[in-house]
Amino acid sequence: MTGTALLVAALAGCSTDKDTMASWAKNGGEKHVAAVAADLKTLIEASDQSVADPAIASRCTHVLNDVKAAKAFRDPPDKSINNSWQETLDRVQTASSHCLHNVKAGEGSSLVEAIDAQSSFRDFLGRFELVLTPT
């Protein structure tokens, strides 16, 4: 995703202060952001019911594990960005939980939920990049 590429580029010259967003990203947050970006692609692909993929359940479980790891990592230090990040994680968790449930019922995942999660993620990236961009 281009947002992740912009994020990596923005981090190149940032501070290492433990209380900054740049530090949060550089010290593990960016890894979780990149995982969620990949997970959103997985959820969108899983919603395509015309593609019968027997690995969808394991892929949705992988997404849930990524969300669990991201939630266990320390929160972003900026309150607004943290709220946006938590909303994104909650939406990705909901979409992947429903994906697992639907796969067991012989259905695909919800495209609407995946798109909602992606929208939250884009909002998060926009806020995050705004904070990281020097004024």
Side-chain angles (χ1 to χ4, degrees), residues 36 40 51 84 91:
V36 168
L40 287 166
V51 178
S84 181
R91 287 179 184 251

Side-chain angles (χ1 to χ4, degrees), residues 43-117:
L43 291 172
I44 297 237
E45 290 171 353
S47 67
D48 185 357
Q49 294 182 23
S50 67
V51 178
D53 183 356
I56 289 177
S58 66
R59 292 172 68 196
C60 291
T61 298
H62 180 82
V63 172
L64 281 171
N65 290 337
D66 285 347
V67 169
K68 183 178 178 181
K71 285 186 172 194
F73 187 69
R74 69 182 175 102
D75 292 340
D78 180 276
K79 183 179 179 180
S80 174
I81 293 171
N82 181 47
N83 290 340
S84 181
W85 180 237
Q86 297 306 322
E87 178 182 336
T88 296
L89 294 177
D90 289 344
R91 287 179 184 251
V92 172
Q93 183 175 25
T94 297
S96 56
S97 293
H98 288 166
C99 175
L100 271 177
H101 177 266
N102 291 347
V103 166
K104 291 177 183 176
E107 303 167 7
S109 68
S110 169
L111 180 59
V112 171
E113 290 174 344
I115 290 172
D116 287 346

